[in-house]
Amino acid sequence: MTVVAEQRELRDDGLSGLELSARLDSIWRTPSGLLGALMSVDHKVVGRRYIVTAFAFLLLGGILAILMRIQLAGPEKTFLSADKYNQIFTMHGSTMMFLFAVPVMEAFAVYLVPLMVGTRNIAFPRLNAFSYWMFLFGGCFLWISFALNVGPDVGWFAYVPLSLLQYTPTKRPDVWAQMITFTEVAALAVSVEIVVTVFKLRAPGMTLDRIPLFVWAMLVTAFLVMFAMPAIMVASTSLILDRLVNTRFYDSSSGGHPLLWQHLFWFFGHPEVYIIFIPGTGMVSAILATFARRPVIGYPIVILSLIATGFLSFGLWVHHMFVTGLPQLGAGLFTASSMLIAVPSGLQIFCWLATLWDGRPVYRTPLLFVIGFIAIFVLGGLSGVMVASVPIDTQVHDTYFVVAHFHYVLIGGAVFPLIGAVYYWFPKITGRMLSERLGRWNFWLAFVGFNLAFFPMHILGLIGMPRRIYTYTADMDWAHLNLLSSGGAVVFALSFALLLVNVIISLRAGALAGDNPWDASTLEWATASPPPPQNFDRIPVVKHRDPLWFDNGTLPVVAGLSVERREVLLTSLAEAEPQIREASPEPSIWPLLTAIATTVFFIGSIFTPWAVLWGTPPMAVTLIGWFWPGGSKEDEE
Amino acid sequence: MPVRMRTALVPFATLPLAACAGRQSALDPQGLQSDQILRNFLIFLIVGAVVWIAVLIVLCVGMLRRKRAADQPLALHHSFEQTTGRVVFALGVATLVIVLGLSIVSYAGQRTVFAKDENALTLKIIGHQWWWEVRYEDDSPDKSFVTANEIRIPTGQPVKVELESADVIHSFWVPSLTGKMDLITGQKNELQFTAKNAGVYRGQCAEFCGLQHAHMAFAVLALSADEFGRWRDHENQSASSPTDPLGKQGEQLFRARGCALCHTIRGTLAGGQLGPDLTHVGSRTTIAAGTLPMTPATLGGWIADPQHIKPGNYMPKMPLQSDELIAILHYLEQLK
């Protein structure tokens, strides 16, 4: 960089107040119009789209759940045929896991992490836009297939040999396997962005022990995604190959083995649960600190627990396979390793209880959801300890007991914190508050409905009801509990309808929020609600774990970033000392075009292996367009 | 927990669960293994309930302890943080101890449940979409026979089932007797259990195996040793030829209308391997893998239109005249 350039470039230390805001706004703003919207690389725009899309898939998955509960409400109902039921439960599981739970957590991270670490945009913003388009196209592809009656019907776990060509000659499992690939691409991209954002884009002074707990949770989650996703990538690609070009990875008559699938699937599938749950704990920590009116007790314990949970989650996939005829001693060891995860989870809960105990809690809707979370999640965790025990698992595996267990863990552990998070961050994202009165109704409907819907399933499983059956006879004595469960499901669904109503009403007529309506402590509340395109007019300097509480009013800031082009400040990994200014990419249409080309390639390769040949040139062209070197001002000097 | 104490807890804890006994309930054990599993489950249940209630009490007390919200956020007090850190650490250690204790309980239970007895009665079960092939094998081939969808075993004697699959993954599960075990292509699994009392126990496929997974059940009939011996001798024999004209006509139609392409009836020319062996079908208690009770009406309905009862199963709907149907039905009923 020459001295001349240095002098010509206008930096934020040369401006102040409104002029600074206006200039930053104009260079960071997403271009107007439809084309501008399609080009956006603002993490807030992408994050909002991500959140809304994920919730749309929640709605669709929830409708399927209700359809299943209608079918199972009584014995020998003919509301759904066997074929439809199998498609519906497969779509419900796949939608909830791959199109809702994981993406919604990533969506919150995409929106919040850059704000919480005090930077202007996420690392790799174009990759971020690409990731969203891939997620959207993958999800639409799955649902359009379902509408055209080629929706997958072999379960969200798609066990071989049932999902092989021989037993399912339709295109249904291909649709499923390719949808997995879409979401893998999206999830991996977001993980890389989160890791780099947290490690390199933190505000000066935000040392590792000053990072907000939510950000820590998302960091650990990002690493889990990066290590777990390759397993399912290998698995689903091998499945596609077996089906399309007649390889024999899973064919036991030719030296393959069906259990290979299960090992690969669950090596991904169990960490997947923590990929969903750990962000939930991050949300709990954020909400709890704000409403208990004190920082979470045991900050280092919580972080170590998160990391330990992450590590342990890779050592217990075998507990999904206890009834596949594994050696007994090995299975016994996996019992111990599975139960061990109760220790870090327990430690986190003890820290939260201590926080609540010592705090002066303000009982607003977000905190209600956190309290509901503790009651439900602990129960789910304890039934998880049961499921981890080999002898007990041989009875309850693949029954409604397990259905009850993982809904307690996933809804209790992730969805309750998530709804709390919606109430908590809605003012930040939209600038308006959600109605507190409707919020309380929402909570109680959700809490009562959830327990009515899922608690009876524990008993149903113990009295012999297997999973994934579309009907049962009256003499099995399952009818009453199923009816109760279906009624509970309707109440639970109503709570989501109420949330939707609350969101719609509040978007138009909610009370204005102001910058920091809850008097929270982390950086995302240090800027306007909703945040301006540049997030912060000046990058804050962090001197404390809870900067808005204990830094005596005004935050110190750094100056020196350009106001003529998009620039972010890179800091050192551990101590977050400022290192260099780095250009942040401009809006671009290429991520969208690349996603379209990739989609054509992925869908084409379901029908013909030749798509690998003709599908890649368009991808190459769009990628070249994406990475075509554009000159920066400094280079032109 | 010492064994005696565990046993003492069982009647106390099963009391509220007794009302939950159904036709295939893990809460109403009738086998040595299911008994052991239930005992293990109850230990976990009690420990879990205590932990859960303790957490809820702490939560509630913590919530009610202070009524007044703070205007200013509370700063951390170093000494308090230290004390809490110790409490949390102690609770963490307690969790670890509980977890290790339960792991040991679990492993001890697992050893009992999966204990092997060399003198067990051995039979082989092969899972098909969507029915069960049951092979009673003996060292001398003339004592080996095949049946379907119904397993008869002697009470009090260990039974070993060898599990294989002909197509996709299924799971063999009779909750009243023991936990489940998968049937996997290219792999041989086995499971041992002992029925304590005579009775009929329902079992059901537990691993999703395609369209008619819901209708893949079977019955286990636990008989006294004598009864079992008599049944086995009888089952081992070939089917008796019908003596009446209608039965003879039925036997002929069974071959002529293609039934014999898929089904075997020992002692006749019917030798198909795709569907269940029907040698003594008349003596079974259910049809279509536990879907319906065996009565002339249900069997007739099944032959007339199997796709109506179990859509998507591999038995095609055969074009039969009503008198042909009556003859075949009459013939099958006689196969006892």
Side-chain angles (χ1 to χ4, degrees):
Chain A
M1 197 186 300
T2 62
V3 179
V4 184
E6 189 83 27
Q7 283 170 346
R8 282 189 186 169
E9 190 179 56
L10 193 55
R11 305 239 199 138
D12 59 3
D13 44 3
L15 294 168
S16 62
L18 287 174
E19 198 191 347
L20 175 64
S21 293
R23 275 197 179 250
L24 284 170
D25 189 289
S26 71
I27 63 160
W28 283 94
R29 173 169 292 285
T30 292
S32 57
L34 178 66
L35 186 65
L38 297 177
M39 288 167 67
S40 179
V41 292
D42 183 349
H43 76 100
K44 296 180 293 298
V45 174
V46 174
R48 266 200 319 260
R49 285 177 189 165
Y50 236 123
I51 293 172
V52 170
T53 314
F55 270 99
F57 284 122
L58 170 73
L59 189 69
L60 292 172
I63 290 170
L64 297 185
I66 294 297
L67 294 180
M68 284 191 286
R69 283 320 313 172
I70 293 173
Q71 167 70 11
L72 293 176
E76 297 185 68
K77 282 215 182 307
T78 51
F79 177 69
L80 297 173
S81 67
D83 181 52
K84 264 290 162 255
Y85 187 86
N86 292 349
Q87 275 192 64
I88 285 178
F89 85 69
T90 303
M91 286 293 292
H92 170 73
S94 305
T95 302
M96 289 307 198
M97 293 300 269
F98 295 110
L99 302 180
F100 165 65
V102 175
V104 83
M105 296 303 180
E106 284 165 350
F108 270 87
V110 162
Y111 192 96
L112 290 170
V113 166
L115 285 165
M116 289 176 105
V117 302
T119 184
R120 294 203 160 137
N121 205 349
I122 200 163
F124 316 127
R126 289 185 181 179
L127 184 65
N128 192 28
F130 173 71
S131 140
Y132 169 72
W133 296 121
M134 286 301 286
F135 160 62
L136 178 70
F137 296 158
C140 291
F141 161 61
L142 183 74
W143 271 82
I144 291 169
S145 303
F146 177 56
L148 299 175
N149 201 26
V150 275
D153 60 350
V154 288
W156 84 277
F157 45 92
Y159 275 8
V160 293
L162 183 61
S163 57
L164 293 180
L165 201 57
Q166 195 182 351
Y167 300 105
T168 311
T170 58
K171 286 290 172 199
R172 291 172 168 190
D174 303 273
V175 167
W176 181 85
Q178 281 308 62
M179 180 278 294
I180 296 299
T181 314
F182 276 99
T183 47
E184 281 156 8
V185 171
L188 280 171
V190 172
S191 300
V192 172
E193 294 153 18
I194 297 297
V195 169
V196 177
T197 306
V198 174
F199 280 158
K200 293 306 292 177
L201 294 181
R202 297 201 308 278
M206 186 183 275
T207 54
L208 288 180
D209 66 347
R210 289 177 192 161
I211 299 178
L213 286 170
F214 176 79
V215 176
W216 263 112
M218 290 316 309
L219 181 66
V220 172
T221 306
F223 276 106
L224 286 190
V225 169
M226 286 195 282
F227 288 105
M229 284 281 175
I232 185 83
M233 234 170 209
V234 168
S236 65
T237 307
S238 306
L239 176 63
I240 282 273
L241 288 174
D242 267 15
R243 293 180 55 89
L244 196 69
V245 294
N246 212 12
T247 54
R248 306 289 171 86
F249 290 106
Y250 304 122
D251 179 359
S252 57
S253 63
S254 314
H257 204 295
L259 283 188
L260 172 63
W261 169 267
Q262 294 191 25
H263 280 295
L264 287 171
F265 184 82
W266 290 116
F267 188 79
F268 145 82
H270 203 90
E272 167 94 342
V273 174
Y274 295 93
I275 289 170
I276 295 165
F277 165 64
I278 289 178
T281 68
M283 292 166 170
V284 168
S285 291
I287 295 169
L288 200 65
T290 299
F291 293 95
R293 311 295 297 141
R294 70 165 350 277
V296 170
I297 286 179
Y299 177 89
I301 303 179
V302 172
I303 291 169
L304 290 176
S305 296
L306 289 174
I307 295 171
T309 308
F311 270 104
L312 288 174
S313 72
F314 283 98
L316 39 78
W317 81 96
V318 173
H319 75 225
H320 294 266
M321 299 168 63
F322 282 159
V323 299
T324 57
L326 295 167
Q328 288 305 319
L329 182 63
L333 287 174
F334 276 98
T335 293
S337 73
S338 304
M339 288 186 190
L340 216 52
I341 209 152
V343 176
S345 307
L347 283 174
Q348 278 201 78
I349 287 170
F350 301 142
C351 288
W352 292 324
L353 287 175
T355 308
L356 204 59
W357 188 278
D358 187 53
R360 305 279 194 284
V362 184
Y363 293 103
R364 306 294 292 270
T365 308
L367 188 62
L368 290 184
F369 276 97
V370 164
I371 288 163
F373 149 84
I374 293 176
I376 294 173
F377 175 74
V378 170
L379 206 153
L382 290 164
S383 63
V385 172
M386 294 176 178
V387 172
S389 161
V390 174
I392 298 173
D393 185 65
T394 62
Q395 281 288 22
V396 299
H397 180 75
D398 272 338
T399 70
Y400 266 82
F401 187 91
V402 169
V403 178
H405 156 69
F406 72 73
H407 281 94
Y408 266 77
V409 170
L410 287 174
I411 296 183
V415 177
F416 268 69
L418 180 72
I419 306 303
V422 169
Y423 278 88
Y424 180 59
W425 278 301
F426 188 84
K428 178 48 59 185
I429 298 174
T430 66
R432 289 180 186 273
M433 307 292 288
L434 282 169
S435 155
E436 184 68 17
R437 214 162 63 89
L438 289 180
R440 276 161 200 274
W441 273 97
N442 185 355
F443 169 73
W444 284 110
L445 279 179
F447 189 77
V448 172
F450 169 81
N451 283 297
L452 269 182
F454 292 101
F455 194 83
M457 291 186 187
H458 289 108
I459 303 166
L460 277 172
L462 291 170
I463 60 174
M465 183 165 167
R467 290 166 84 172
R468 300 157 188 152
I469 54 167
Y470 72 97
T471 189
Y472 56 91
T473 52
D475 61 342
M476 296 310 297
D477 299 325
W478 299 334
H480 290 100
L481 287 171
N482 269 307
L483 185 62
L484 185 64
S485 172
S486 295
V490 171
V491 177
F492 191 45
L494 282 179
S495 76
F496 286 93
L498 200 61
L499 175 64
L500 187 65
V501 168
N502 200 348
V503 166
I504 291 170
I505 293 177
S506 303
L507 274 178
R508 290 158 184 272
L512 288 176
D515 292 0
N516 189 1
W518 311 114
D519 188 20
S521 72
T522 39
L523 283 185
E524 78 271 30
W525 303 102
T527 183
S529 309
Q534 69 274 23
N535 286 357
F536 302 92
D537 286 348
R538 287 209 171 90
I539 302 300
V541 174
V542 175
K543 293 182 169 168
H544 195 279
R545 207 176 279 161
D546 297 283
L548 302 196
W549 278 352
F550 304 116
D551 277 356
N552 302 326
T554 50
L555 284 177
V557 291
V558 281
L561 286 174
S562 171
V563 293
E564 291 177 3
R565 61 197 182 103
R566 295 179 170 218
E567 237 176 32
V568 291
L569 182 64
L570 261 56
T571 51
S572 66
L573 197 148
E575 297 299 321
E577 282 160 1
Q579 287 178 318
I580 47 170
R581 300 178 295 134
E582 173 78 15
S584 182
E586 301 286 330
S588 163
I589 196 69
W590 290 108
L592 173 61
L593 297 180
T594 311
I596 292 173
T598 316
T599 301
V600 169
F601 167 79
F602 278 175
I603 296 179
S605 60
I606 288 183
F607 296 96
T608 162
W610 292 104
V612 177
L613 234 56
W614 55 250
T616 38
M619 281 171 69
V621 169
T622 48
L623 281 170
I624 290 168
W626 180 341
F627 290 109
W628 195 260
S632 73
K633 281 204 175 81
E634 285 162 51
D635 297 334
E636 285 158 16
E637 287 297 326
Chain B
M1 202 182 289
V3 177
R4 201 186 307 152
M5 202 170 137
R6 261 194 273 165
T7 329
L9 284 171
V10 169
F12 156 74
T14 31
L15 209 59
L17 299 175
C20 300
R23 284 187 62 199
Q24 52 181 37
S25 171
L27 301 178
D28 179 24
Q30 300 292 327
L32 295 181
Q33 286 74 11
S34 51
D35 232 14
Q36 173 64 39
I37 295 172
L38 183 62
R39 274 200 295 273
N40 268 38
F41 174 75
L42 292 173
I43 294 169
F44 276 64
L45 185 66
I46 291 164
V47 172
V50 169
V51 171
W52 189 63
I53 289 168
V55 168
L56 283 197
I57 289 173
V58 173
L59 177 66
C60 292
V61 174
M63 280 167 64
L64 299 173
R65 217 163 71 96
R66 293 178 207 270
K67 301 272 186 211
R68 216 156 45 87
D71 296 332
Q72 291 297 314
L74 306 161
L76 290 166
H77 307 291
H78 193 64
S79 62
F80 181 82
E81 186 88 340
Q82 260 186 342
T83 320
T84 330
R86 288 198 194 100
V87 173
V88 167
F89 181 75
L91 288 172
V93 171
T95 312
L96 186 66
V97 169
I98 292 175
V99 158
L100 291 179
L102 289 178
S103 294
I104 292 166
V105 169
S106 166
Y107 192 64
Q110 186 187 343
R111 297 264 304 214
T112 316
V113 171
F114 290 99
K116 295 213 165 89
D117 192 323
E118 294 305 319
N119 300 318
L121 167 77
T122 302
L123 46 120
K124 182 182 278 182
I125 293 181
I126 301 165
H128 296 260
Q129 283 179 319
W130 291 275
W131 61 280
W132 308 85
E133 180 179 340
V134 186
R135 295 176 165 267
Y136 287 78
E137 290 177 341
D138 197 280
D139 291 341
S140 62
D142 60 336
K143 282 190 176 172
S144 303
F145 59 87
V146 183
T147 174
N149 295 328
E150 202 166 273
I151 303 164
R152 300 200 188 205
I153 57 165
T155 52
Q157 191 192 338
V159 179
K160 178 167 95 179
V161 288
E162 296 175 348
L163 302 166
E164 288 173 35
S165 169
D167 38 50
V168 303
I169 298 177
H170 304 278
S171 195
F172 177 89
W173 184 39
V174 195
S176 311
L177 298 177
T178 186
K180 58 186 75 61
M181 181 62 76
D182 285 355
L183 300 83
I184 301 172
T185 336
Q187 180 167 326
K188 288 181 167 61
N189 284 339
E190 58 176 64
L191 188 64
Q192 279 203 10
F193 54 89
T194 308
K196 289 193 297 186
N197 307 308
V200 182
Y201 307 115
R202 192 176 189 269
Q204 190 164 3
C205 177
E207 183 58 80
F208 180 65
C209 55
L211 200 58
Q212 281 301 334
H213 169 57
H215 287 135
M216 189 172 161
F218 58 98
V220 176
L221 279 68
L223 312 170
S224 69
D226 289 350
E227 268 182 290
F228 176 74
R230 279 200 296 279
W231 172 79
R232 188 172 182 159
D233 290 341
H234 176 73
E235 195 74 16
N236 193 26
Q237 291 160 15
S238 298
S240 47
S241 296
T243 47
D244 59 317
L246 190 60
K248 282 190 170 129
Q249 191 200 349
E251 183 182 13
Q252 207 182 12
L253 282 166
F254 191 83
R255 280 208 310 280
R257 289 288 175 266
C259 311
L261 290 174
C262 295
H263 295 285
T264 294
I265 294 177
R266 271 176 278 131
T268 73
L269 290 173
Q273 297 290 323
L274 291 175
D277 184 305
L278 299 180
T279 307
H280 297 284
V281 66
S283 64
R284 292 183 200 149
T285 53
T286 62
I287 61 163
T291 306
L292 292 168
M294 170 69 102
T295 66
T298 57
L299 188 58
W302 172 256
I303 300 167
D305 189 358
Q307 294 301 319
H308 179 71
I309 292 173
K310 209 166 153 174
N313 85 83
Y314 293 114
M315 178 153 161
K317 183 178 172 179
M318 291 295 190
L320 291 174
Q321 304 295 329
S322 62
D323 54 331
E324 294 176 323
L325 175 65
I326 289 167
I328 291 178
L329 183 59
H330 182 73
Y331 168 58
L332 291 179
E333 275 182 275
Q334 288 185 13
L335 297 174
K336 297 211 170 171

